[in-house]
Amino acid sequence: MTSTVDIHSMTRRFGRSTAIDDISLTVAGGSICGLLGRNGAGKTTIMSIIAGQDRPTSGSVEVFGERPFENESILSKISFVRDNQRYPDNYRLHHVLRIAPDFAPEWSDDVAGELADEFRIPTQTPIKKFSRGQLSSVAIVLGLASRAPVTLFDEPYLGLDVTARVRFHDTLLRDYAIHPRTVLLSTHLIEESEALFDRVVIVDRGRIRVDSDSEHTGQLAFTLSGPSDAIDRLSAKRTILHSRSVSGLKSVTIQGLADADTSAEAVRLGARIAPATLPELVAAFGADTPETRDIKKGAVA
Amino acid sequence: MSAVISTIKLHLNQRRVTFIAPLSIAGTVAIISVLISLVFWRAGSQPGSAGWIQGSQSNPGIVYALVGFLIYAGVASVATTFPFALTLGATRRAFIAGTLLWDAITAAYIAIIFAVLNVIELATHHWGVGFYIFDIYVLGAGNTPRLLLIVFLGVLSALTIGGVFAAAWVRFGIRGPQVIAVGVIFVLGIAAIAIVPDAAAIIAAFQLWWLAIAAGVVIMVSSIGMWLLVRRAIVR
Amino acid sequence: MFTGESPIFQQLAAKIAGDIVAGTYPEETAVPSASDFAVFYTINPATASKGVNVLVERGVLYKKRGIGMFVATGARELLRDRRREEFRTHYIQPLLREATVLELGTAELHQMIDQPEQDQA
């Protein structure tokens, strides 16, 4: 499959701090890719650079084979509303909906109108006075109605009620069926959005820790929980991503796939063993354990 | 090119700010001027007398009121509009080009409105009762071509000055405008030190077109400054 | 809807297969498209396609060009045979293992199966 977004050895420094540390990432056309990780991991910076709002200190970013920075034809194919998006003074919803189509060749008034209604976005209130959820709603309307070939959602769920979240997923998938596009979505609501992704990228401290088909994330790590001594014995000589314990009980997330012997041993010792869920995986890679290693695409350790 | 036009439309999106606000501000000032004139009238000054005309024509209130608004509009045209324009998909190039064209459109619009009102003022013998609102010294004392030039260059200067300060803020945060302000004061200080010995001669030789040249320089410097500051700015 | 135990595409395939066995989708009638499944279950479209394709490969579903996916003739039989085989491995074998642990004899098991009502009480 052709890649739509191609990031190569990209680094972004802000003064002395390194926000993005030599990452490479390609996103295939038509993919709905989850960009996961803790706050400050670098998710917004990656999106911002893809959208040409920022540019790398070194390395390269290409969208449809061209660098997006100051590239008008590429920028018209990208939609990115950041989680703290600012709007011009005194703007109301109708100002946004009136001007956005000028910059988005594929804009759909129907999608915008329906969503704005269903999200109950106030029409008379200045955007400056919007609640967090209302701001998220405006961002989702812009992202979905633009039908941009590359659509970036930066924490789209912040403050959004459950009805709106369901509506967002529904509209995304319905509209995607008629107008396929490449979607990159960052979120902390992993359980709720997990089934949307065909691809999962976990970022921490500016580096890509996991890059995997969503189908295979269950093989990247497993969790063991039970009596501390049993867990210690089972996890000896293994790469522990994350561990926590409370009075004699311990739970660890271990990198790799649990083989049959380990499973049998765990059952024998009275420990519970299960593939790590995606939230567990994200939590594990966000934890400050020195042993953590990167898992490359499709890798099954 | 299309993104330049789209950026102009983005600035014109809030039609009230672009088209109505300058007029309502000018209108408010005009009413205040009339009220002040009435006070003078009640105090014994005679409409049409030399003193009356002198006093009325020296009142630059309309200019002060507009300059404040226009600088704000110039700041807003870059400060909060830049991140939104980039979100929509404008390039920095298109954004600055569109913003400067919008500045020019706004300047021309206000100049033309003022010129029309000036012509009406002159034709109606100062609204029939001797009120001087547009026929004032700072706007060319009734000379319509001169008023057009003064208002156009004045508005454009205010908008681009606001724009360049906002561009510095977009690029460098709060320190940006501070650095520009310090720089301007520094340059003016140096200029004053250089000029003061010859000040009398310079004032004696003063020609009105010097101001036009000065405005042109300010507009050029501000515009180039906007571009240089924004061309590498990132959205935060 | 879907659990984290196995890949979603497999769960979707199992769900559609289950519906075919239950008679929700009779043979030679259309099933919803992969896109429809994606929207309905709020899952990734590529994942949904993969789930549908699992059944196409097994000969349960077939594609009518330009119309959509249809349930193949004999699909129900095919799935039922497969499910019967699975019934043995998924239900009977664990049941027998557990019975051995609990020291339940064959006769007692037969009695439980013949008179299920008694045990529910």
PDB file of all heavy atoms in Angstrom, chain B residues 108-128:
ATOM      1  N   ALA B 108      -8.396  51.845   1.909  1.00  0.00           N
ATOM      2  CA  ALA B 108      -9.082  52.473   0.778  1.00  0.00           C
ATOM      3  C   ALA B 108     -10.547  52.719   1.122  1.00  0.00           C
ATOM      4  O   ALA B 108     -11.100  53.796   0.831  1.00  0.00           O
ATOM      5  CB  ALA B 108      -8.971  51.576  -0.458  1.00  0.00           C
ATOM      6  N   TYR B 109     -11.164  51.741   1.777  1.00  0.00           N
ATOM      7  CA  TYR B 109     -12.573  51.870   2.139  1.00  0.00           C
ATOM      8  C   TYR B 109     -12.793  53.074   3.058  1.00  0.00           C
ATOM      9  O   TYR B 109     -13.653  53.924   2.804  1.00  0.00           O
ATOM     10  CB  TYR B 109     -13.020  50.567   2.821  1.00  0.00           C
ATOM     11  CG  TYR B 109     -14.347  50.658   3.532  1.00  0.00           C
ATOM     12  CD1 TYR B 109     -15.541  50.686   2.813  1.00  0.00           C
ATOM     13  CD2 TYR B 109     -14.407  50.699   4.931  1.00  0.00           C
ATOM     14  CE1 TYR B 109     -16.756  50.766   3.471  1.00  0.00           C
ATOM     15  CE2 TYR B 109     -15.615  50.765   5.592  1.00  0.00           C
ATOM     16  CZ  TYR B 109     -16.795  50.802   4.865  1.00  0.00           C
ATOM     17  OH  TYR B 109     -17.992  50.874   5.509  1.00  0.00           O
ATOM     18  N   ILE B 110     -11.978  53.171   4.105  1.00  0.00           N
ATOM     19  CA  ILE B 110     -12.155  54.276   5.043  1.00  0.00           C
ATOM     20  C   ILE B 110     -11.838  55.610   4.374  1.00  0.00           C
ATOM     21  O   ILE B 110     -12.545  56.608   4.554  1.00  0.00           O
ATOM     22  CB  ILE B 110     -11.281  54.055   6.308  1.00  0.00           C
ATOM     23  CG1 ILE B 110     -11.776  52.792   7.041  1.00  0.00           C
ATOM     24  CG2 ILE B 110     -11.337  55.265   7.240  1.00  0.00           C
ATOM     25  CD1 ILE B 110     -10.954  52.409   8.257  1.00  0.00           C
ATOM     26  N   ALA B 111     -10.792  55.623   3.522  1.00  0.00           N
ATOM     27  CA  ALA B 111     -10.422  56.855   2.819  1.00  0.00           C
ATOM     28  C   ALA B 111     -11.564  57.333   1.931  1.00  0.00           C
ATOM     29  O   ALA B 111     -11.907  58.523   1.914  1.00  0.00           O
ATOM     30  CB  ALA B 111      -9.160  56.621   1.993  1.00  0.00           C
ATOM     31  N   ILE B 112     -12.162  56.393   1.220  1.00  0.00           N
ATOM     32  CA  ILE B 112     -13.245  56.777   0.299  1.00  0.00           C
ATOM     33  C   ILE B 112     -14.465  57.277   1.076  1.00  0.00           C
ATOM     34  O   ILE B 112     -15.060  58.310   0.734  1.00  0.00           O
ATOM     35  CB  ILE B 112     -13.617  55.589  -0.629  1.00  0.00           C
ATOM     36  CG1 ILE B 112     -12.473  55.382  -1.627  1.00  0.00           C
ATOM     37  CG2 ILE B 112     -14.927  55.849  -1.358  1.00  0.00           C
ATOM     38  CD1 ILE B 112     -12.537  54.074  -2.381  1.00  0.00           C
ATOM     39  N   ILE B 113     -14.826  56.588   2.148  1.00  0.00           N
ATOM     40  CA  ILE B 113     -15.961  57.022   2.962  1.00  0.00           C
ATOM     41  C   ILE B 113     -15.717  58.445   3.491  1.00  0.00           C
ATOM     42  O   ILE B 113     -16.592  59.324   3.407  1.00  0.00           O
ATOM     43  CB  ILE B 113     -16.182  56.059   4.152  1.00  0.00           C
ATOM     44  CG1 ILE B 113     -16.571  54.667   3.658  1.00  0.00           C
ATOM     45  CG2 ILE B 113     -17.201  56.624   5.133  1.00  0.00           C
ATOM     46  CD1 ILE B 113     -18.010  54.529   3.236  1.00  0.00           C
ATOM     47  N   PHE B 114     -14.500  58.656   4.001  1.00  0.00           N
ATOM     48  CA  PHE B 114     -14.164  59.975   4.539  1.00  0.00           C
ATOM     49  C   PHE B 114     -14.216  61.039   3.439  1.00  0.00           C
ATOM     50  O   PHE B 114     -14.698  62.147   3.652  1.00  0.00           O
ATOM     51  CB  PHE B 114     -12.767  59.957   5.201  1.00  0.00           C
ATOM     52  CG  PHE B 114     -12.798  59.541   6.648  1.00  0.00           C
ATOM     53  CD1 PHE B 114     -13.637  58.546   7.086  1.00  0.00           C
ATOM     54  CD2 PHE B 114     -11.989  60.180   7.589  1.00  0.00           C
ATOM     55  CE1 PHE B 114     -13.676  58.168   8.420  1.00  0.00           C
ATOM     56  CE2 PHE B 114     -12.020  59.808   8.930  1.00  0.00           C
ATOM     57  CZ  PHE B 114     -12.866  58.801   9.341  1.00  0.00           C
ATOM     58  N   ALA B 115     -13.707  60.675   2.257  1.00  0.00           N
ATOM     59  CA  ALA B 115     -13.690  61.634   1.147  1.00  0.00           C
ATOM     60  C   ALA B 115     -15.117  62.030   0.766  1.00  0.00           C
ATOM     61  O   ALA B 115     -15.424  63.212   0.574  1.00  0.00           O
ATOM     62  CB  ALA B 115     -12.957  61.041  -0.048  1.00  0.00           C
ATOM     63  N   VAL B 116     -15.986  61.024   0.697  1.00  0.00           N
ATOM     64  CA  VAL B 116     -17.377  61.302   0.332  1.00  0.00           C
ATOM     65  C   VAL B 116     -18.015  62.225   1.372  1.00  0.00           C
ATOM     66  O   VAL B 116     -18.655  63.239   1.034  1.00  0.00           O
ATOM     67  CB  VAL B 116     -18.174  59.978   0.211  1.00  0.00           C
ATOM     68  CG1 VAL B 116     -19.667  60.250   0.116  1.00  0.00           C
ATOM     69  CG2 VAL B 116     -17.688  59.186  -0.991  1.00  0.00           C
ATOM     70  N   LEU B 117     -17.795  61.887   2.643  1.00  0.00           N
ATOM     71  CA  LEU B 117     -18.384  62.703   3.705  1.00  0.00           C
ATOM     72  C   LEU B 117     -17.796  64.116   3.696  1.00  0.00           C
ATOM     73  O   LEU B 117     -18.500  65.100   3.950  1.00  0.00           O
ATOM     74  CB  LEU B 117     -18.161  62.038   5.072  1.00  0.00           C
ATOM     75  CG  LEU B 117     -18.960  60.735   5.267  1.00  0.00           C
ATOM     76  CD1 LEU B 117     -18.534  60.027   6.546  1.00  0.00           C
ATOM     77  CD2 LEU B 117     -20.474  61.015   5.301  1.00  0.00           C
ATOM     78  N   ASN B 118     -16.510  64.214   3.348  1.00  0.00           N
ATOM     79  CA  ASN B 118     -15.859  65.518   3.270  1.00  0.00           C
ATOM     80  C   ASN B 118     -16.492  66.365   2.169  1.00  0.00           C
ATOM     81  O   ASN B 118     -16.786  67.552   2.359  1.00  0.00           O
ATOM     82  CB  ASN B 118     -14.365  65.330   3.011  1.00  0.00           C
ATOM     83  CG  ASN B 118     -13.625  66.656   2.973  1.00  0.00           C
ATOM     84  OD1 ASN B 118     -13.689  67.428   3.924  1.00  0.00           O
ATOM     85  ND2 ASN B 118     -12.933  66.928   1.864  1.00  0.00           N
ATOM     86  N   VAL B 119     -16.726  65.709   1.028  1.00  0.00           N
ATOM     87  CA  VAL B 119     -17.345  66.427  -0.092  1.00  0.00           C
ATOM     88  C   VAL B 119     -18.735  66.908   0.322  1.00  0.00           C
ATOM     89  O   VAL B 119     -19.120  68.060   0.059  1.00  0.00           O
ATOM     90  CB  VAL B 119     -17.418  65.516  -1.340  1.00  0.00           C
ATOM     91  CG1 VAL B 119     -18.312  66.120  -2.405  1.00  0.00           C
ATOM     92  CG2 VAL B 119     -16.008  65.274  -1.885  1.00  0.00           C
ATOM     93  N   ILE B 120     -19.468  66.021   1.003  1.00  0.00           N
ATOM     94  CA  ILE B 120     -20.809  66.424   1.460  1.00  0.00           C
ATOM     95  C   ILE B 120     -20.705  67.590   2.443  1.00  0.00           C
ATOM     96  O   ILE B 120     -21.463  68.574   2.365  1.00  0.00           O
ATOM     97  CB  ILE B 120     -21.542  65.228   2.118  1.00  0.00           C
ATOM     98  CG1 ILE B 120     -21.804  64.132   1.072  1.00  0.00           C
ATOM     99  CG2 ILE B 120     -22.854  65.673   2.763  1.00  0.00           C
ATOM    100  CD1 ILE B 120     -22.336  62.832   1.659  1.00  0.00           C
ATOM    101  N   GLU B 121     -19.723  67.483   3.351  1.00  0.00           N
ATOM    102  CA  GLU B 121     -19.550  68.535   4.355  1.00  0.00           C
ATOM    103  C   GLU B 121     -19.300  69.896   3.692  1.00  0.00           C
ATOM    104  O   GLU B 121     -19.883  70.900   4.070  1.00  0.00           O
ATOM    105  CB  GLU B 121     -18.399  68.174   5.302  1.00  0.00           C
ATOM    106  CG  GLU B 121     -18.122  69.226   6.373  1.00  0.00           C
ATOM    107  CD  GLU B 121     -17.212  68.706   7.483  1.00  0.00           C
ATOM    108  OE1 GLU B 121     -17.468  67.584   7.977  1.00  0.00           O
ATOM    109  OE2 GLU B 121     -16.237  69.391   7.837  1.00  0.00           O
ATOM    110  N   LEU B 122     -18.416  69.854   2.681  1.00  0.00           N
ATOM    111  CA  LEU B 122     -18.093  71.108   1.987  1.00  0.00           C
ATOM    112  C   LEU B 122     -19.305  71.607   1.216  1.00  0.00           C
ATOM    113  O   LEU B 122     -19.628  72.804   1.218  1.00  0.00           O
ATOM    114  CB  LEU B 122     -16.906  70.904   1.044  1.00  0.00           C
ATOM    115  CG  LEU B 122     -15.567  70.577   1.737  1.00  0.00           C
ATOM    116  CD1 LEU B 122     -14.493  70.306   0.693  1.00  0.00           C
ATOM    117  CD2 LEU B 122     -15.156  71.706   2.661  1.00  0.00           C
ATOM    118  N   ALA B 123     -20.010  70.671   0.538  1.00  0.00           N
ATOM    119  CA  ALA B 123     -21.133  71.063  -0.312  1.00  0.00           C
ATOM    120  C   ALA B 123     -22.294  71.617   0.510  1.00  0.00           C
ATOM    121  O   ALA B 123     -23.048  72.476   0.043  1.00  0.00           O
ATOM    122  CB  ALA B 123     -21.596  69.853  -1.133  1.00  0.00           C
ATOM    123  N   THR B 124     -22.443  71.144   1.735  1.00  0.00           N
ATOM    124  CA  THR B 124     -23.572  71.590   2.563  1.00  0.00           C
ATOM    125  C   THR B 124     -23.164  72.739   3.485  1.00  0.00           C
ATOM    126  O   THR B 124     -23.861  73.047   4.456  1.00  0.00           O
ATOM    127  CB  THR B 124     -24.098  70.433   3.439  1.00  0.00           C
ATOM    128  OG1 THR B 124     -23.009  69.957   4.240  1.00  0.00           O
ATOM    129  CG2 THR B 124     -24.661  69.306   2.614  1.00  0.00           C
ATOM    130  N   HIS B 125     -22.023  73.380   3.142  1.00  0.00           N
ATOM    131  CA  HIS B 125     -21.515  74.460   4.001  1.00  0.00           C
ATOM    132  C   HIS B 125     -21.438  73.997   5.437  1.00  0.00           C
ATOM    133  O   HIS B 125     -22.054  74.561   6.335  1.00  0.00           O
ATOM    134  CB  HIS B 125     -22.381  75.726   3.876  1.00  0.00           C
ATOM    135  CG  HIS B 125     -22.397  76.232   2.470  1.00  0.00           C
ATOM    136  ND1 HIS B 125     -21.340  76.894   1.878  1.00  0.00           N
ATOM    137  CD2 HIS B 125     -23.349  76.121   1.504  1.00  0.00           C
ATOM    138  CE1 HIS B 125     -21.628  77.177   0.621  1.00  0.00           C
ATOM    139  NE2 HIS B 125     -22.846  76.716   0.363  1.00  0.00           N
ATOM    140  N   HIS B 126     -20.675  72.892   5.594  1.00  0.00           N
ATOM    141  CA  HIS B 126     -20.459  72.312   6.928  1.00  0.00           C
ATOM    142  C   HIS B 126     -21.774  71.997   7.627  1.00  0.00           C
ATOM    143  O   HIS B 126     -22.053  72.440   8.721  1.00  0.00           O
ATOM    144  CB  HIS B 126     -19.563  73.228   7.762  1.00  0.00           C
ATOM    145  CG  HIS B 126     -18.241  73.440   7.096  1.00  0.00           C
ATOM    146  ND1 HIS B 126     -17.998  74.486   6.239  1.00  0.00           N
ATOM    147  CD2 HIS B 126     -17.108  72.713   7.108  1.00  0.00           C
ATOM    148  CE1 HIS B 126     -16.772  74.405   5.760  1.00  0.00           C
ATOM    149  NE2 HIS B 126     -16.200  73.333   6.265  1.00  0.00           N
ATOM    150  N   TRP B 127     -22.557  71.141   6.899  1.00  0.00           N
ATOM    151  CA  TRP B 127     -23.813  70.599   7.420  1.00  0.00           C
ATOM    152  C   TRP B 127     -24.800  71.719   7.765  1.00  0.00           C
ATOM    153  O   TRP B 127     -25.665  71.552   8.611  1.00  0.00           O
ATOM    154  CB  TRP B 127     -23.577  69.695   8.637  1.00  0.00           C
ATOM    155  CG  TRP B 127     -22.421  68.725   8.410  1.00  0.00           C
ATOM    156  CD1 TRP B 127     -21.167  68.871   8.871  1.00  0.00           C
ATOM    157  CD2 TRP B 127     -22.450  67.526   7.640  1.00  0.00           C
ATOM    158  NE1 TRP B 127     -20.375  67.834   8.440  1.00  0.00           N
ATOM    159  CE2 TRP B 127     -21.139  66.980   7.687  1.00  0.00           C
ATOM    160  CE3 TRP B 127     -23.423  66.841   6.893  1.00  0.00           C
ATOM    161  CZ2 TRP B 127     -20.784  65.810   7.018  1.00  0.00           C
ATOM    162  CZ3 TRP B 127     -23.058  65.666   6.265  1.00  0.00           C
ATOM    163  CH2 TRP B 127     -21.764  65.154   6.321  1.00  0.00           C
ATOM    164  N   GLY B 128     -24.640  72.854   7.064  1.00  0.00           N
ATOM    165  CA  GLY B 128     -25.591  73.954   7.211  1.00  0.00           C
ATOM    166  C   GLY B 128     -25.435  74.779   8.472  1.00  0.00           C
ATOM    167  O   GLY B 128     -26.008  75.870   8.588  1.00  0.00           O
TER     168      GLY B 128
END
